[in-house]
């Protein structure tokens, strides 16, 4: 791996112990659970769409990449509270994951892990029911068989790509690779383990730049799978650093470390984390792209929520006394507290989601300053991690 050795530009912002009062975490959890419980009725006919319009979710079928996080939100709520209402809501979803697999419904891209990990891996963990494990393993086989380009050593963005933009891999895929690590752990499948590790390596080599910013996508030559160049999809420019994509790395690399214990994964994690911390505005809420550090641009609170989970996960693997551990603990607490204080709408306000000011895609002009299930799910996961630091993650 490249040794980038990025340093913090304003270490004083993240120095010292910063603690969120446990009563504040409890109150935030209670508010989130109350909101989810009320939403069960509004969402009972299916699955939320990928982002809200006017802060209300459209409802559809199990056919998009955030569905797994919707089911995962119910499972997290169940695990936190023990309340059957959340487990029942999850169970009302779960059979559709088998149907989705059988019909390969919207499963021909890299997001298979986003769909099956927080739904079926989590359901298996919490209930012990074998069928959920079987479906997750079947999904992992599909991700590997249809999605792993052996010649290139990466997971394809689009499995049967009709134009060359499918022949890419992306930061987000670091959150899909864990399904392969998990299946390798369950079954001993070495091919899955090596494919997931290869995805981590190629991301570090090609998508993380020398200054520890990240390309969103990386384009390969369609005929040879040789590397061509970094490009963007949801970022400001090809050369900018899209904040949520960067956060997928801030969480994805430490998840990979939890499976393979290779130290370079925590090194690259530190570099990209310091890049993020160096590019946060004064109020610590990321703009949608790190090209922007001040002014009136859309924020992306989901980038914060995902990063908090990643910082927390990395801390579990760092020795006490490690300089970056104290920084991550401080930063995670500050970032989460801002979300709790300023971005969670009260019951009765128009916000159906748990956090608002998520931005789905500025170039696509979709879901700007709205809510989205990846914001909601990772916010609740972050709260879970703060309440129970030993929580066994679903990823
Ligand atoms: N994986 C797409 C996104 O984060 O919006």
């Amino acid at each position: 791996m490249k040794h980038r050795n990025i340093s913090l530009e304003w270490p004083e912002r993240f120095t010292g112990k910063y603690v969120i009062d446990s009563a504040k975490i409890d109150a935030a959890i209670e508010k989130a659970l109350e909101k989810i419980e009320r939403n069960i009725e509004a969402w009972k006919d299916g699955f939320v769409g990928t982002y809200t319009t006017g802060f209300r979710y459209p409802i559809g079928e199990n056919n998009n990449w955030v569905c797994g996080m919707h089911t995962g939100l119910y499972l997290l709520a169940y695990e936190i509270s023990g309340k059957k209402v959340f487990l029942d809501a999850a169970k009302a979803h779960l059979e559709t994951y088998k149907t989705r697999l059988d019909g390969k419904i919207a499963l021909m891209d890299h997001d298979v892990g986003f769909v099956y990990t927080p739904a079926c891996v989590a359901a298996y963990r919490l209930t012990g029911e074998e069928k959920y494990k079987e479906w997750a393993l079947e999904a992992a086989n599909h991700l590997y068989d249809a999605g792993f380009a052996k010649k290139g050593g990466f997971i394809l963005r689009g499995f049967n790509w009709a134009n060359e933009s499918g022949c890419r891999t992306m930061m987000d895929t670091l959150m899909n690779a864990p399904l392969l690590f998990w299946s390798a752990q369950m079954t001993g499948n070495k091919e899955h383990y090596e494919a997931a590790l290869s995805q981590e390596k190629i991301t570090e080599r090609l998508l993380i730049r020398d200054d520890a910013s990240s390309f969103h996508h990386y384009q390969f030559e369609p005929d040879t799978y040789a590397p061509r160049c970094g490009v963007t999809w949801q970022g400001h420019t090809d050369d900018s650093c899209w904040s949520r994509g960067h956060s997928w790395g801030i969480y994805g690399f430490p998840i990979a470390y939890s499976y393979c214990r290779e130290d370079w994964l925590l090194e690259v994690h530190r570099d990209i984390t310091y890049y993020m911390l160096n590019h946060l505005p004064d109020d610590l809420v990321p703009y949608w792209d790190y090209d922007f550090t001040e002014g009136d641009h859309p924020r992306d609170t989901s980038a914060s929520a995902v990063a908090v989970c990643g910082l927390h996960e990395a801390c579990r693997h760092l020795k006490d006394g490690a300089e970056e551990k104290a920084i991550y603990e401080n930063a995670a607490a500050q970032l989460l507290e801002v979300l709790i204080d300023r971005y969670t709408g009260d019951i009765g306000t128009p916000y159906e989601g748990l956090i608002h000011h998520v931005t789905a895609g500025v170039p696509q002009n979709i879901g700007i300053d709205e809510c989205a299930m990846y914001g909601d799910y990772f916010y609740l996961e972050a709260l879970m991690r703060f309440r129970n630091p030993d929580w066994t993650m679903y990823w």
Side-chain angles (χ1 to χ4, degrees):
M1 94 148 231
K2 287 183 213 159
H3 294 287
R4 298 175 179 84
N5 295 323
I6 307 298
S7 39
L8 271 187
E9 284 171 24
W10 299 284
E12 57 280 8
R13 283 214 282 184
F14 304 106
T15 303
K17 205 162 172 57
Y18 193 97
V19 178
I20 309 181
D21 194 89
S22 65
K24 186 180 259 193
I25 296 289
D26 289 347
I29 288 175
E30 282 320 304
K31 182 162 137 184
L33 296 186
E34 188 181 342
K35 220 170 202 190
I36 298 166
E37 194 167 343
R38 285 171 184 245
N39 285 342
I40 287 174
E41 177 58 25
W43 297 345
K44 72 177 183 325
D45 291 331
F47 290 80
V48 298
T50 49
Y51 51 86
T52 59
T53 302
F55 311 114
R56 316 293 297 178
Y57 282 106
I59 301 299
E61 297 186 355
N62 189 347
N63 61 9
N64 72 57
W65 75 280
V66 308
C67 293
M69 287 174 270
H70 183 176
T71 309
L73 188 80
Y74 290 152
L75 289 168
L76 259 179
Y78 168 64
E79 192 178 359
I80 293 172
S81 66
K83 283 175 86 172
K84 191 171 166 299
V85 61
F86 296 120
L87 183 61
D88 289 346
K91 285 196 164 175
H93 275 180
L94 279 159
E95 296 298 317
T96 67
Y97 286 88
K98 175 65 177 143
T99 319
R100 186 163 173 177
L101 264 177
D102 290 344
K104 298 288 178 291
I105 300 165
L107 284 185
M108 293 309 282
D109 66 35
H110 68 127
D111 281 331
V112 176
F114 266 120
V115 176
Y116 280 84
T117 302
C120 295
V121 173
Y124 172 61
R125 284 237 166 94
L126 297 186
T127 68
E129 285 191 48
E130 285 292 318
K131 63 182 178 185
Y132 303 135
K133 177 178 164 190
E134 280 162 26
W135 300 344
L137 289 175
E138 203 179 319
N141 288 338
H142 170 62
L143 177 60
Y144 178 78
D145 294 341
F148 186 64
K150 286 191 187 143
K151 211 164 144 187
F154 62 90
I155 296 170
L156 287 158
R157 176 189 187 208
F159 295 175
N160 291 333
W161 39 277
N163 69 50
E164 65 177 33
S165 76
C167 191
R168 292 180 178 180
T169 205
M170 49 209 280
M171 289 300 288
D172 324 34
T173 312
L174 293 179
M175 296 301 291
N176 291 303
L179 183 63
L180 296 178
F181 280 130
W182 173 84
S183 77
Q185 193 177 63
M186 288 292 119
T187 65
N189 185 325
K190 289 196 173 53
E191 287 181 325
H192 285 194
Y193 180 89
E194 292 302 335
L197 186 56
S198 179
Q199 182 66 31
E200 306 295 323
K201 288 182 178 166
I202 227 160
T203 305
E204 184 278 324
R205 186 160 62 85
L206 297 178
L207 284 94
I208 309 301
R209 304 183 186 103
D210 289 351
D211 67 353
S213 63
S214 52
F215 289 113
H216 181 200
H217 287 192
Y218 199 92
Q219 179 70 52
F220 294 83
E221 299 298 343
D223 42 353
T224 61
Y225 292 113
R228 185 194 290 171
C229 59
V231 281
T232 200
W233 177 249
Q234 278 149 292
H236 184 221
T237 70
D238 286 345
D239 295 323
S240 72
C241 182
W242 177 53
S243 56
R244 188 165 60 258
H246 204 70
S247 288
W248 294 135
I250 289 171
Y251 197 6
F253 284 123
I255 294 174
Y257 181 86
S258 76
Y259 287 99
C260 27
R261 309 275 158 184
E262 295 199 10
D263 289 343
W264 67 269
L265 289 158
L266 292 184
E267 259 182 67
V268 65
H269 171 266
R270 185 198 55 227
D271 290 339
I272 65 174
T273 296
Y274 282 8
Y275 180 90
M276 173 189 77
L277 298 180
N278 287 341
H279 288 80
L280 286 176
D282 289 343
D283 63 4
L284 304 183
V285 183
Y287 288 101
W288 67 282
D289 189 291
Y290 292 120
D291 262 2
F292 307 106
T293 53
E294 57 183 358
D296 187 22
H297 307 280
R299 308 291 185 133
D300 185 4
T301 52
S302 72
S304 281
V306 174
V308 170
C309 296
L311 294 176
H312 183 268
E313 185 56 30
C315 285
R316 297 213 258 210
H317 305 296
L318 289 165
K319 290 195 181 56
D320 286 340
E323 189 188 329
E324 63 266 48
K325 183 169 176 167
I327 289 163
Y328 298 170
E329 284 171 349
N330 177 306
Q334 290 201 64
L335 265 65
L336 181 58
E337 191 165 53
V338 175
L339 294 185
I340 295 171
D341 287 347
R342 294 190 23 220
Y343 291 94
T344 56
D346 286 336
I347 309 284
T349 57
Y351 306 112
E352 196 173 55
L354 303 187
I355 57 171
H356 48 80
H357 283 76
V358 172
T359 288
V362 173
Q364 293 75 18
N365 195 22
I366 55 171
I368 298 170
D369 284 338
E370 288 283 347
C371 307
M373 191 44 77
Y374 34 89
D376 291 352
Y377 171 83
F378 287 99
Y379 171 68
L380 191 61
E381 186 182 312
L383 292 174
M384 169 61 126
R385 285 172 172 275
F386 269 67
R387 176 178 280 180
N388 178 7
D390 297 326
W391 177 66
T392 304
M393 66 175 172
Y394 299 158
W395 300 95

mmCIF file of all heavy atoms in Angstrom, residues 65 111 114 172 234 242 244 248 360 374, ligand 1:
data_model
loop_
_atom_site.group_PDB
_atom_site.id
_atom_site.type_symbol
_atom_site.label_atom_id
_atom_site.label_comp_id
_atom_site.label_asym_id
_atom_site.label_seq_id
_atom_site.Cartn_x
_atom_site.Cartn_y
_atom_site.Cartn_z
ATOM 1 N N TRP A 65 -31.721 -0.527 -3.613
ATOM 2 C CA TRP A 65 -30.538 -0.850 -2.790
ATOM 3 C C TRP A 65 -30.700 -0.507 -1.324
ATOM 4 O O TRP A 65 -29.932 -0.989 -0.485
ATOM 5 C CB TRP A 65 -29.283 -0.205 -3.377
ATOM 6 C CG TRP A 65 -29.151 1.281 -3.167
ATOM 7 C CD1 TRP A 65 -29.773 2.249 -3.898
ATOM 8 C CD2 TRP A 65 -28.345 1.956 -2.189
ATOM 9 N NE1 TRP A 65 -29.404 3.489 -3.429
ATOM 10 C CE2 TRP A 65 -28.521 3.343 -2.387
ATOM 11 C CE3 TRP A 65 -27.481 1.536 -1.181
ATOM 12 C CZ2 TRP A 65 -27.884 4.306 -1.603
ATOM 13 C CZ3 TRP A 65 -26.847 2.493 -0.398
ATOM 14 C CH2 TRP A 65 -27.050 3.858 -0.613
ATOM 15 N N ASP A 111 -24.626 -3.768 -5.361
ATOM 16 C CA ASP A 111 -25.319 -3.476 -4.103
ATOM 17 C C ASP A 111 -25.948 -4.686 -3.413
ATOM 18 O O ASP A 111 -26.652 -4.514 -2.406
ATOM 19 C CB ASP A 111 -26.381 -2.400 -4.326
ATOM 20 C CG ASP A 111 -25.768 -1.008 -4.394
ATOM 21 O OD1 ASP A 111 -24.714 -0.803 -3.760
ATOM 22 O OD2 ASP A 111 -26.313 -0.135 -5.086
ATOM 23 N N PHE A 114 -25.357 -4.514 0.296
ATOM 24 C CA PHE A 114 -26.183 -3.532 0.993
ATOM 25 C C PHE A 114 -27.585 -4.097 1.240
ATOM 26 O O PHE A 114 -28.234 -3.758 2.224
ATOM 27 C CB PHE A 114 -26.334 -2.256 0.148
ATOM 28 C CG PHE A 114 -25.342 -1.170 0.459
ATOM 29 C CD1 PHE A 114 -24.474 -0.697 -0.517
ATOM 30 C CD2 PHE A 114 -25.293 -0.598 1.718
ATOM 31 C CE1 PHE A 114 -23.579 0.326 -0.245
ATOM 32 C CE2 PHE A 114 -24.400 0.435 2.007
ATOM 33 C CZ PHE A 114 -23.528 0.894 1.018
ATOM 34 N N ASP A 172 -18.457 2.809 -2.670
ATOM 35 C CA ASP A 172 -19.615 2.193 -2.021
ATOM 36 C C ASP A 172 -19.466 0.664 -1.900
ATOM 37 O O ASP A 172 -20.029 0.046 -1.007
ATOM 38 C CB ASP A 172 -20.895 2.475 -2.816
ATOM 39 C CG ASP A 172 -20.936 3.854 -3.452
ATOM 40 O OD1 ASP A 172 -19.871 4.366 -3.856
ATOM 41 O OD2 ASP A 172 -22.026 4.416 -3.586
ATOM 42 N N GLN A 234 -21.706 10.664 -8.218
ATOM 43 C CA GLN A 234 -22.463 11.569 -7.336
ATOM 44 C C GLN A 234 -21.641 12.749 -6.823
ATOM 45 O O GLN A 234 -22.146 13.584 -6.096
ATOM 46 C CB GLN A 234 -23.067 10.779 -6.167
ATOM 47 C CG GLN A 234 -24.372 10.091 -6.545
ATOM 48 C CD GLN A 234 -24.581 8.796 -5.792
ATOM 49 O OE1 GLN A 234 -23.851 7.821 -6.001
ATOM 50 N NE2 GLN A 234 -25.543 8.757 -4.900
ATOM 51 N N TRP A 242 -16.329 12.983 -3.070
ATOM 52 C CA TRP A 242 -17.757 12.937 -2.706
ATOM 53 C C TRP A 242 -17.866 12.436 -1.266
ATOM 54 O O TRP A 242 -17.328 11.387 -0.928
ATOM 55 C CB TRP A 242 -18.484 12.008 -3.674
ATOM 56 C CG TRP A 242 -19.931 11.809 -3.369
ATOM 57 C CD1 TRP A 242 -20.877 12.758 -3.182
ATOM 58 C CD2 TRP A 242 -20.600 10.554 -3.227
ATOM 59 N NE1 TRP A 242 -22.103 12.183 -2.933
ATOM 60 C CE2 TRP A 242 -21.952 10.837 -2.960
ATOM 61 C CE3 TRP A 242 -20.186 9.221 -3.305
ATOM 62 C CZ2 TRP A 242 -22.894 9.824 -2.758
ATOM 63 C CZ3 TRP A 242 -21.108 8.216 -3.111
ATOM 64 C CH2 TRP A 242 -22.461 8.532 -2.845
ATOM 65 N N ARG A 244 -20.161 11.196 0.880
ATOM 66 C CA ARG A 244 -20.697 9.900 1.337
ATOM 67 C C ARG A 244 -19.837 8.749 0.822
ATOM 68 O O ARG A 244 -19.602 7.777 1.538
ATOM 69 C CB ARG A 244 -22.159 9.707 0.949
ATOM 70 C CG ARG A 244 -22.746 8.462 1.608
ATOM 71 C CD ARG A 244 -24.261 8.346 1.587
ATOM 72 N NE ARG A 244 -24.857 8.325 0.273
ATOM 73 C CZ ARG A 244 -25.466 9.350 -0.306
ATOM 74 N NH1 ARG A 244 -25.568 10.498 0.317
ATOM 75 N NH2 ARG A 244 -25.994 9.249 -1.510
ATOM 76 N N TRP A 248 -18.134 5.737 2.977
ATOM 77 C CA TRP A 248 -18.221 4.279 2.784
ATOM 78 C C TRP A 248 -16.845 3.651 3.016
ATOM 79 O O TRP A 248 -16.723 2.541 3.518
ATOM 80 C CB TRP A 248 -18.747 3.920 1.389
ATOM 81 C CG TRP A 248 -20.178 4.320 1.085
ATOM 82 C CD1 TRP A 248 -20.616 4.925 -0.071
ATOM 83 C CD2 TRP A 248 -21.362 4.129 1.893
ATOM 84 N NE1 TRP A 248 -21.978 5.125 -0.016
ATOM 85 C CE2 TRP A 248 -22.460 4.654 1.181
ATOM 86 C CE3 TRP A 248 -21.586 3.578 3.158
ATOM 87 C CZ2 TRP A 248 -23.767 4.638 1.684
ATOM 88 C CZ3 TRP A 248 -22.887 3.566 3.663
ATOM 89 C CH2 TRP A 248 -23.951 4.091 2.931
ATOM 90 N N ALA A 360 -28.916 12.880 -1.616
ATOM 91 C CA ALA A 360 -28.745 11.653 -2.404
ATOM 92 C C ALA A 360 -27.807 11.899 -3.581
ATOM 93 O O ALA A 360 -26.797 11.212 -3.725
ATOM 94 C CB ALA A 360 -30.103 11.140 -2.874
ATOM 95 N N TYR A 374 -30.331 5.298 4.169
ATOM 96 C CA TYR A 374 -28.944 5.089 4.629
ATOM 97 C C TYR A 374 -28.599 6.088 5.736
ATOM 98 O O TYR A 374 -27.791 5.783 6.608
ATOM 99 C CB TYR A 374 -27.926 5.159 3.482
ATOM 100 C CG TYR A 374 -28.257 6.128 2.391
ATOM 101 C CD1 TYR A 374 -27.838 7.451 2.453
ATOM 102 C CD2 TYR A 374 -29.009 5.739 1.293
ATOM 103 C CE1 TYR A 374 -28.153 8.348 1.454
ATOM 104 C CE2 TYR A 374 -29.341 6.639 0.295
ATOM 105 C CZ TYR A 374 -28.910 7.929 0.377
ATOM 106 O OH TYR A 374 -29.238 8.832 -0.607
HETATM 107 N N1 LIG B 1 -24.513 3.769 -2.944
HETATM 108 C C1 LIG B 1 -25.079 4.955 -3.460
HETATM 109 C C2 LIG B 1 -25.141 6.049 -2.486
HETATM 110 O O1 LIG B 1 -24.482 6.049 -1.470
HETATM 111 O O2 LIG B 1 -25.898 6.962 -2.752
#
